[in-house]
mmCIF file of all heavy atoms in Angstrom:
data_model
loop_
_atom_site.group_PDB
_atom_site.id
_atom_site.type_symbol
_atom_site.label_atom_id
_atom_site.label_comp_id
_atom_site.label_asym_id
_atom_site.label_seq_id
_atom_site.Cartn_x
_atom_site.Cartn_y
_atom_site.Cartn_z
ATOM 1 N N ALA A 4 42.520 -99.642 -29.866
ATOM 2 C CA ALA A 4 42.238 -98.989 -28.573
ATOM 3 C C ALA A 4 42.931 -97.625 -28.512
ATOM 4 O O ALA A 4 42.377 -96.648 -28.007
ATOM 5 C CB ALA A 4 42.720 -99.879 -27.431
ATOM 6 N N ALA A 20 37.542 -76.591 -25.149
ATOM 7 C CA ALA A 20 37.818 -75.328 -25.836
ATOM 8 C C ALA A 20 36.517 -74.560 -26.058
ATOM 9 O O ALA A 20 36.436 -73.368 -25.823
ATOM 10 C CB ALA A 20 38.504 -75.600 -27.161
ATOM 11 N N SER A 42 30.445 -58.159 -18.648
ATOM 12 C CA SER A 42 29.056 -58.063 -19.108
ATOM 13 C C SER A 42 28.842 -56.711 -19.790
ATOM 14 O O SER A 42 29.684 -55.821 -19.688
ATOM 15 C CB SER A 42 28.086 -58.220 -17.929
ATOM 16 O OG SER A 42 28.120 -57.080 -17.099
ATOM 17 N N GLU A 71 46.527 -45.734 -35.766
ATOM 18 C CA GLU A 71 47.098 -44.669 -36.600
ATOM 19 C C GLU A 71 46.615 -44.843 -38.055
ATOM 20 O O GLU A 71 46.244 -43.876 -38.718
ATOM 21 C CB GLU A 71 48.635 -44.708 -36.533
ATOM 22 C CG GLU A 71 49.362 -43.615 -37.318
ATOM 23 C CD GLU A 71 49.369 -42.250 -36.616
ATOM 24 O OE1 GLU A 71 48.987 -42.163 -35.436
ATOM 25 O OE2 GLU A 71 49.741 -41.262 -37.298
ATOM 26 N N PRO A 92 40.220 -37.683 -44.220
ATOM 27 C CA PRO A 92 40.378 -39.038 -43.663
ATOM 28 C C PRO A 92 39.041 -39.784 -43.660
ATOM 29 O O PRO A 92 37.982 -39.202 -43.389
ATOM 30 C CB PRO A 92 40.882 -38.775 -42.233
ATOM 31 C CG PRO A 92 41.514 -37.420 -42.293
ATOM 32 C CD PRO A 92 40.739 -36.643 -43.320
ATOM 33 N N GLY A 103 44.055 -51.575 -24.640
ATOM 34 C CA GLY A 103 45.251 -52.427 -24.693
ATOM 35 C C GLY A 103 45.340 -53.262 -23.421
ATOM 36 O O GLY A 103 45.363 -52.709 -22.323
ATOM 37 N N ALA A 130 36.773 -58.040 -25.846
ATOM 38 C CA ALA A 130 35.632 -57.658 -26.696
ATOM 39 C C ALA A 130 34.452 -57.203 -25.830
ATOM 40 O O ALA A 130 33.790 -56.200 -26.134
ATOM 41 C CB ALA A 130 35.225 -58.833 -27.586
ATOM 42 N N PRO A 149 31.375 -45.467 -23.236
ATOM 43 C CA PRO A 149 30.434 -45.690 -24.344
ATOM 44 C C PRO A 149 30.604 -47.088 -24.956
ATOM 45 O O PRO A 149 31.731 -47.530 -25.147
ATOM 46 C CB PRO A 149 30.830 -44.622 -25.380
ATOM 47 C CG PRO A 149 31.777 -43.707 -24.686
ATOM 48 C CD PRO A 149 32.383 -44.455 -23.542
ATOM 49 N N GLY A 189 45.035 -58.775 -43.572
ATOM 50 C CA GLY A 189 46.389 -58.972 -44.105
ATOM 51 C C GLY A 189 46.379 -59.936 -45.279
ATOM 52 O O GLY A 189 47.101 -59.764 -46.263
ATOM 53 N N ALA A 213 52.053 -70.417 -34.508
ATOM 54 C CA ALA A 213 51.573 -71.731 -34.048
ATOM 55 C C ALA A 213 50.108 -71.954 -34.428
ATOM 56 O O ALA A 213 49.687 -73.083 -34.665
ATOM 57 C CB ALA A 213 51.746 -71.844 -32.535
ATOM 58 N N PRO A 251 63.164 -53.324 -21.505
ATOM 59 C CA PRO A 251 64.523 -53.467 -20.966
ATOM 60 C C PRO A 251 64.975 -54.917 -20.821
ATOM 61 O O PRO A 251 66.166 -55.175 -20.642
ATOM 62 C CB PRO A 251 64.444 -52.775 -19.598
ATOM 63 C CG PRO A 251 63.006 -52.531 -19.326
ATOM 64 C CD PRO A 251 62.240 -52.663 -20.596
ATOM 65 N N ALA A 294 59.331 -51.429 -37.712
ATOM 66 C CA ALA A 294 60.713 -51.866 -37.984
ATOM 67 C C ALA A 294 60.886 -52.190 -39.461
ATOM 68 O O ALA A 294 61.818 -52.896 -39.832
ATOM 69 C CB ALA A 294 61.039 -53.095 -37.144
ATOM 70 N N PRO A 309 75.952 -64.397 -51.071
ATOM 71 C CA PRO A 309 75.683 -65.536 -51.968
ATOM 72 C C PRO A 309 74.952 -66.702 -51.305
ATOM 73 O O PRO A 309 74.293 -67.488 -51.973
ATOM 74 C CB PRO A 309 77.080 -65.955 -52.435
ATOM 75 C CG PRO A 309 78.058 -65.144 -51.661
ATOM 76 C CD PRO A 309 77.352 -64.031 -50.974
ATOM 77 N N LEU A 314 67.589 -67.095 -52.319
ATOM 78 C CA LEU A 314 66.331 -67.246 -51.576
ATOM 79 C C LEU A 314 65.461 -66.005 -51.668
ATOM 80 O O LEU A 314 64.394 -65.938 -51.059
ATOM 81 C CB LEU A 314 66.632 -67.519 -50.092
ATOM 82 C CG LEU A 314 67.451 -68.777 -49.791
ATOM 83 C CD1 LEU A 314 67.890 -68.814 -48.333
ATOM 84 C CD2 LEU A 314 66.607 -70.011 -50.106
ATOM 85 N N GLU A 316 63.680 -62.814 -54.114
ATOM 86 C CA GLU A 316 63.374 -62.142 -55.380
ATOM 87 C C GLU A 316 64.106 -60.801 -55.396
ATOM 88 O O GLU A 316 64.555 -60.312 -54.347
ATOM 89 C CB GLU A 316 61.857 -61.893 -55.496
ATOM 90 C CG GLU A 316 61.013 -63.146 -55.627
ATOM 91 C CD GLU A 316 61.119 -63.802 -57.006
ATOM 92 O OE1 GLU A 316 61.722 -63.203 -57.928
ATOM 93 O OE2 GLU A 316 60.617 -64.922 -57.148
ATOM 94 N N GLU A 326 46.855 -51.247 -42.669
ATOM 95 C CA GLU A 326 46.182 -50.445 -43.697
ATOM 96 C C GLU A 326 44.994 -51.204 -44.283
ATOM 97 O O GLU A 326 43.924 -50.640 -44.538
ATOM 98 C CB GLU A 326 47.178 -50.097 -44.800
ATOM 99 C CG GLU A 326 46.616 -49.060 -45.739
ATOM 100 C CD GLU A 326 47.349 -49.019 -47.060
ATOM 101 O OE1 GLU A 326 48.584 -49.194 -47.070
ATOM 102 O OE2 GLU A 326 46.654 -48.804 -48.089
ATOM 103 N N LEU A 343 28.706 -42.931 -39.978
ATOM 104 C CA LEU A 343 28.017 -41.665 -39.717
ATOM 105 C C LEU A 343 27.940 -40.879 -41.012
ATOM 106 O O LEU A 343 28.906 -40.835 -41.788
ATOM 107 C CB LEU A 343 28.776 -40.860 -38.656
ATOM 108 C CG LEU A 343 28.661 -41.403 -37.228
ATOM 109 C CD1 LEU A 343 29.633 -40.681 -36.310
ATOM 110 C CD2 LEU A 343 27.233 -41.276 -36.696
ATOM 111 N N GLY A 367 45.136 -63.702 -4.116
ATOM 112 C CA GLY A 367 45.893 -64.719 -4.842
ATOM 113 C C GLY A 367 46.736 -64.175 -5.979
ATOM 114 O O GLY A 367 47.532 -64.909 -6.559
#
Side-chain angles (χ1 to χ4, degrees):
S42 71
E71 182 78 10
L314 300 170
E316 293 286 351
E326 191 199 323
L343 287 170

